[in-house]
Amino acid sequence: MTAQQSHADIVDSSAPIAPVDGAAPDEPGLHDAEIEQLFGAGGPLGGAVGSYRPRHAQTEMAKAIASAIAGQGTLIAEAGTGTGKTFAYLVPALLWGGKVIVSTGTKTLQDQLYNRDIPTVRKALHAPVSVALLKGRSNYVCHFHLERTLQNGRLTAREDVGYLREISRFVKSTSSGDKAELTKVPETASVWNLVTSTRDTCFGAECQYYQDCFVMKARKEAQQADVVVVNHHLFFADVALKDTGVAELLPSANTVIFDEAHQLPDTATLFFGETVSTSQILELCRDVLAEGLAHARDGADWPRLVSTVERAARDLRLAFPEESVRLALNQIASSSTFFPALDTLKDCMDDMITVLEKQAERAETIEQCRDRANELLRQLENWGSPEESPAKAAASGQGKDEAGGQEGEAAEEAQEEPAQKPFYVLWLEAFQSSLQLHRTPLSIAPIFNKQREGVPRSWIFTSATLAVKKDFNHYAAQMGLWNAPAQSWPSPFNYGEQGILYVPQNLPQPNSFEYTDAVIDAALPTIEAAGGRCFFLCTTLRAVNRAAERLRTEFAARGHAFPLFVQGEAGRTELLDRFRAAGNGVLIGSQSFWEGVDVRGDALSLVIIDKLPFSPPDDPVLAARISEMEKQGLNGFVHHQLPAAIINLKQGAGRLIRDEGDRGVLMICDPRIITKNYGRRIWQSLPPFKRTRELEVVQAFFREQDARRAAAADAAAGMGGES
């Protein structure tokens, strides 16, 4: 099978993944012995990092990455928590990678790489490489929009006045303009929207502040740097928008490394698709009215022109009386008022564009409004009939089916697939006051493969969670990485000694009405035994709210002084800081706390997961993908839903043991892990904890931990007394 895989291979396949053989590369300077010396006890890393200890898995991973870089190849690299994967890819990248792009999962990790990890490795290796940090334009203060906001004072919140003053001072002293440097102004403050640009509101080279522009300065530095640190959103936004600077970097890059690569399928799906909303149209209308009255008052009846479009946008939302709804295009009733309302909105937009076209020469801001209106209308026009389905294309000879297989067994390799055309799912989502129209690719594999064509370079995909029982087929199929070498390196942690997997008995089925309360009843004695120190991870926000309500009541009734931290009551960073500081807190969260969260030590000793994280069955994109897979003879549950849930569960479970000294209990409440045939595949994919279904075993474990902590405290007090 070629790297150019068919669009028909929607989500998964049983095509075999080539193993990494671990052989040393033949190129000069890339011998295994040199890598072993760099990562050895007496090597440069040990001298630069006080807590550094050689790890066999880390060294072997570095060898495989060095080999992939030397051969301009692709490598899928799963490394268990504690392996030290960051150093494992940075050392060969900085020494032999040429021009390197490192893409991370979040801006927080991006800052950590740029400010801490890369400087540490660069100093240890005495590597003469230059490094640049590149973020999306919304992260940089825009001189033009700051000046305009200072002049017109259109602020929506009282605290924004003080924030604006801080930003004005910041611009005079900063060299980067990166809002992450200005900690006095919260990242979520609404004032940032008024002092940063978007692709639509940037004047580019025509701007009077172009020479001082922080975005342009960051892109120029990235062009000249040896190593550029970006994030996945930035990387993939470029494919859709050509507005991030990555497009200019890629042609000269020798090596591209994706850290937290398990996030790529979702991130790429987001950016390879399109979304247009009634909120965007209403925002455009506000700007058209303001700019029309300011610069071309005599050019049109602006209030009337704009109100017609606004009314059409609101009528489109009112086609669905429910407060929230998600529907695929084929689920919308033909009798619905939606289709006539959509046609009316497009006609009204067209009328407004005609006026804007005539008045565009009177002001740059009107011209900008015209361009935005044209783009929104284009997206509305695209939201029509979906392209021919993959199954239909396959039947007509444009694509080929792939053989299905039994769970855990590899299907025979399919024939070469020349077809590359992506196919899209059209669906909508209605919220209380807005409607979003989505156009989502059925598979990102053909689009991503197109991005990887051209200049030969190495592509490294690494994360702690890419495989299901060391089987990479699900991930490889999502990304189109056919026949790419793949390898997994185990965590150095002793999970059998450090933790327990606890599945409580007698819980009802997860779809039962009383399930969340039953989970809380089972969780309470475990939380008490742990002395708080708990992450309570839920699969829905409804469960988060119910757990918060119940635990707040139960803690008060039982006299427990466990501080409760609930997602939504503060930002994620603030909640985590308060949780760590409390030492005995209980944090309740949903998906945003399942990954990218690092709490080491005794502050976190218990992770409770309420349900196996299967995607909602009514998700229109999931339903379309499963439908296409089943037309190919594959099992949608076995080949997509199950592996996706396992990888997600591994992320949540990975919050527990973050260090060699950590001890704790992973409590998975879902009885399906025991009662269903697929349950074995799930727990075999998790770290090899001791397993129990008995509460008494868990309570005894925590009593031992309490005794250990007490002994350590006594020893520390004794040493203090002797001094």
Side-chain angles (χ1 to χ4, degrees):
M1 186 176 295
T2 66
Q4 308 308 315
Q5 186 65 19
S6 163
H7 57 263
D9 299 308
I10 304 300
V11 191
D12 203 17
S13 165
S14 301
I17 301 297
V20 172
D21 61 15
D26 295 324
E27 286 73 7
L30 291 180
H31 294 297
D32 284 4
E34 183 167 1
I35 293 175
E36 287 176 0
Q37 186 273 325
L38 291 168
F39 284 91
L45 294 174
V49 184
S51 59
Y52 180 82
R53 287 201 309 278
R55 303 167 199 168
H56 177 72
Q58 183 183 49
T59 305
E60 293 303 308
M61 181 180 176
K63 290 177 186 177
I65 290 173
S67 179
I69 289 174
Q72 295 182 321
T74 297
L75 176 66
I76 305 173
E78 181 184 70
T81 306
T83 303
K85 62 182 170 64
T86 306
F87 281 19
Y89 68 70
L90 281 180
V91 169
L94 266 57
L95 290 180
W96 305 298
K99 174 96 174 184
V100 180
I101 298 175
V102 181
S103 181
T104 69
T106 63
K107 285 185 287 188
T108 302
L109 289 172
Q110 193 182 358
D111 287 332
Q112 177 182 309
L113 259 177
Y114 178 75
N115 294 316
R116 190 185 75 186
D117 297 335
I118 292 178
T120 299
V121 174
R122 183 173 58 176
K123 182 179 178 183
L125 301 178
H126 302 289
V129 296
S130 55
V131 186
L133 182 69
L134 184 61
K135 297 181 180 179
R137 63 167 64 250
S138 63
N139 292 277
Y140 302 98
V141 179
C142 170
H143 290 89
F144 173 80
H145 288 286
L146 172 61
E147 187 63 31
R148 192 167 76 160
T149 302
L150 286 168
Q151 287 176 359
N152 65 30
R154 288 190 300 178
L155 300 175
T156 55
R158 184 181 300 173
E159 61 269 20
D160 283 348
V161 176
Y163 291 155
L164 186 61
R165 195 178 302 119
E166 292 289 349
I167 294 169
S168 186
R169 288 196 199 109
F170 169 67
V171 164
K172 295 181 176 69
S173 60
T174 179
S175 61
S176 73
D178 185 349
K179 68 182 186 183
E181 294 179 8
L182 183 57
T183 55
K184 291 181 180 178
V185 181
E187 191 176 346
T188 54
S190 57
V191 71
W192 285 120
N193 295 327
L194 301 174
V195 298
T196 56
S197 70
T198 66
R199 177 171 173 260
D200 294 328
T201 61
C202 173
F203 292 107
E206 297 176 9
C207 180
Q208 59 184 312
Y209 297 101
Y210 184 76
Q211 296 302 320
D212 300 316
C213 177
F214 292 121
V215 173
M216 293 304 128
K217 191 184 299 184
R219 291 182 182 178
K220 186 175 180 181
E221 289 174 0
Q223 282 285 340
Q224 297 168 348
D226 300 306
V227 179
V228 185
V229 184
V230 301
N231 61 63
H232 301 338
H233 280 74
L234 183 73
F235 190 95
F236 286 110
D238 181 73
V239 178
L241 306 177
K242 294 291 184 288
D243 184 49
T244 68
V246 174
E248 300 160 4
L249 294 174
L250 260 181
S252 60
N254 305 101
T255 303
V256 179
I257 299 172
F258 292 106
D259 197 349
E260 301 296 316
H262 65 279
Q263 297 178 4
L264 293 182
D266 286 343
T267 306
T269 297
L270 174 68
F271 284 104
F272 289 156
E274 283 187 346
T275 297
V276 58
S277 71
T278 55
S279 296
Q280 288 174 284
I281 293 167
L282 294 174
E283 186 178 329
L284 170 68
C285 287
R286 285 193 292 271
D287 290 345
V288 167
L289 180 61
E291 302 304 331
L293 292 175
H295 302 289
R297 183 176 287 272
D298 59 342
D301 185 347
W302 295 104
R304 184 169 173 272
L305 179 71
V306 162
S307 65
T308 304
V309 179
E310 287 177 331
R311 184 165 56 253
R314 292 193 172 101
D315 285 346
L316 187 68
R317 167 61 190 92
L318 293 173
F320 302 98
E322 304 93 338
E323 279 204 6
S324 64
V325 65
R326 303 176 87 189
L327 294 171
L329 175 62
N330 60 8
Q331 294 176 310
I332 304 171
S334 57
S335 59
S336 170
T337 59
F338 168 78
F339 295 105
L342 180 59
D343 289 338
T344 300
L345 176 58
K346 288 189 283 190
D347 290 342
C348 293
M349 288 283 289
D350 202 30
D351 291 342
M352 185 166 74
I353 289 169
T354 301
V355 175
L356 290 170
E357 195 74 59
K358 293 175 181 175
Q359 305 300 323
E361 62 183 19
R362 300 180 69 173
E364 287 180 344
T365 49
I366 295 179
E367 185 180 0
Q368 207 172 61
C369 286
R370 177 204 63 192
D371 293 343
R372 285 166 61 191
N374 272 318
E375 174 62 15
L376 289 172
L377 180 58
R378 182 195 67 77
Q379 290 179 301
L380 289 173
E381 295 284 3
N382 270 353
W383 209 89
S385 298
E387 290 86 342
E388 182 182 23
S389 75
K392 193 172 177 183
S396 63
Q398 296 175 31
K400 299 189 181 194
D401 289 346
E402 177 169 272
Q406 297 302 313
E407 177 178 346
E409 296 178 355
E412 292 182 5
E413 190 171 323
Q415 299 298 310
E416 288 192 1
E417 293 289 355
Q420 281 293 296
K421 183 182 177 185
F423 296 90
Y424 294 86
V425 182
L426 302 181
W427 59 287
L428 58 80
E429 195 166 13
F431 301 94
Q432 190 167 9
S433 58
S434 70
L435 181 74
Q436 293 183 347
L437 306 181
H438 302 280
R439 185 172 176 268
T440 303
L442 203 56
S443 169
I444 63 164
I447 316 175
F448 185 57
N449 269 332
K450 192 171 180 61
Q451 300 307 307
R452 294 174 64 227
E453 291 174 351
V455 180
R457 60 175 63 90
S458 57
W459 297 81
I460 311 297
F461 300 82
T462 184
S463 169
T465 55
L466 295 174
V468 177
K469 284 178 60 183
K470 298 188 178 179
D471 178 353
F472 293 87
N473 287 310
H474 174 69
Y475 184 76
Q478 286 183 302
M479 298 301 296
L481 302 175
W482 300 105
N483 296 332
Q487 189 167 348
S488 181
W489 291 271
S491 168
F493 300 153
N494 186 343
Y495 286 108
E497 292 295 324
Q498 292 180 247
I500 292 176
L501 169 60
Y502 168 48
V503 181
Q505 302 182 57
N506 303 320
L507 282 176
Q509 288 304 304
N511 59 357
S512 63
F513 177 76
E514 69 276 15
Y515 182 75
T516 299
D517 281 302
V519 165
I520 296 164
D521 291 339
L524 272 165
T526 319
I527 295 171
E528 290 171 333
R533 312 172 192 273
C534 170
F535 270 10
F536 197 125
L537 302 179
C538 302
T539 53
T540 65
L541 288 174
R542 184 184 292 113
V544 168
N545 295 332
R546 180 58 180 159
E549 179 187 358
R550 277 285 314 275
L551 290 181
R552 194 170 276 120
T553 302
E554 294 286 352
F555 289 171
R558 300 177 186 217
H560 296 314
F562 304 145
L564 202 59
F565 306 103
V566 183
Q567 179 177 331
E569 293 182 355
R572 187 172 89 154
T573 302
E574 182 182 343
L575 284 175
L576 285 170
D577 288 344
R578 286 161 54 190
F579 176 84
R580 290 188 188 99
N584 67 336
V586 174
L587 188 151
I588 308 173
S590 64
Q591 191 60 48
S592 62
F593 287 92
W594 283 63
E595 59 180 280
V597 175
D598 192 10
V599 179
R600 302 179 184 218
D602 288 337
L604 179 58
S605 300
L606 171 64
V607 171
I608 300 171
I609 293 176
D610 71 335
K611 283 185 188 179
L612 298 176
F614 289 110
S615 298
D618 63 343
D619 180 279
V621 179
L622 174 66
R625 286 175 173 167
I626 289 174
S627 174
E628 291 300 335
M629 290 182 73
E630 291 179 347
K631 288 172 186 174
Q632 300 165 37
L634 297 172
N635 183 307
F637 178 78
V638 168
H639 292 99
H640 178 54
Q641 288 174 283
L642 182 59
I646 290 174
I647 289 172
N648 201 355
L649 184 66
K650 285 172 68 176
Q651 278 292 328
R655 297 316 98 209
L656 182 63
I657 305 296
R658 306 297 300 173
D659 197 270
E660 291 179 358
D662 286 355
R663 301 285 187 277
V665 171
L666 171 64
M667 178 177 175
I668 300 179
C669 299
D670 197 321
R672 291 175 293 184
I673 199 171
I674 302 295
T675 61
K676 297 294 184 181
N677 291 335
Y678 57 77
R680 176 182 293 270
R681 192 176 180 195
I682 293 175
W683 58 254
Q684 286 181 342
S685 298
L686 294 172
F689 295 115
K690 289 178 181 175
R691 299 189 298 276
T692 187
R693 303 206 67 194
E694 303 295 333
L695 175 61
E696 292 77 10
V697 173
V698 173
Q699 291 169 326
F701 175 87
F702 282 123
R703 284 195 295 270
E704 289 177 17
Q705 301 316 305
D706 291 341
R708 179 181 58 81
R709 279 193 289 265
D714 289 344
M719 290 176 66
E722 289 173 10
S723 63

